[in-house]
Amino acid sequence: MSTPETSSFVRIRVELVLEIDDEEAVTGAALRSLADDTDLSDAERAHAERAVTEDTAEALAHLVDPFDLVSAVPGVELQQASWSGEQIDYDPDSPEWDLDEEDGDENDPEDDELTVG
């Protein structure tokens, strides 16, 4: 009997809902971050500055970096990440926002929780 090989790659899905109390603070922080980014060309910087100025969700997405979330985790190397921000209607009492519910197909083995014990 052969043992199936397991992949060393893991996908972690995270969904955050943040309330912005001070749009100017978020936009200002994103603009300062862009000003400090020496890797951007003038054209890229101008495009990014317009985007974060016009859309607070875009400014927030610019400030939240998945690389920062896992950079201190020993034994892992981030291979790929994508993220975005969008304005949403949020009602914490709505069943749509119940974080205890499983996402996806209940019969999908990839959605099963890992139990350690």
Side-chain angles (χ1 to χ4, degrees):
M1 183 166 151
S2 65
T3 305
E5 291 191 31
T6 38
S7 173
S8 62
F9 296 96
V10 175
R11 178 184 310 219
I12 296 178
R13 293 185 176 116
V14 176
E15 184 169 329
L16 303 171
V17 176
L18 305 171
E19 181 177 6
I20 297 175
D21 293 328
D22 187 342
E23 291 185 12
E24 290 179 14
V26 173
T27 300
L31 289 171
R32 284 188 298 281
S33 174
L34 288 168
D36 293 342
D37 191 341
T38 58
D39 293 332
L40 290 177
S41 70
D42 289 342
E44 290 171 321
R45 185 180 326 282
H47 175 74
E49 286 174 347
R50 271 192 308 278
V52 303
T53 301
E54 293 172 2
D55 185 356
T56 308
E58 187 69 30
L60 186 58
H62 177 77
L63 294 168
V64 174
D65 187 347
F67 296 95
D68 291 341
L69 295 173
V70 297
S71 63
V73 177
V76 300
E77 182 179 338
L78 184 62
Q79 296 296 309
Q80 181 179 356
S82 66
W83 67 102
S84 64
E86 63 182 335
Q87 298 282 340
I88 60 166
D89 292 325
Y90 176 65
D91 176 4
D93 297 325
S94 169
E96 175 183 339
W97 293 101
D98 185 3
L99 296 180
D100 291 331
E101 287 187 18
E102 294 276 334
D103 287 338
D105 183 359
E106 65 185 42
N107 296 321
D108 187 347
E110 289 184 21
D111 287 339
D112 289 347
E113 290 185 32
L114 175 62
T115 303
V116 178

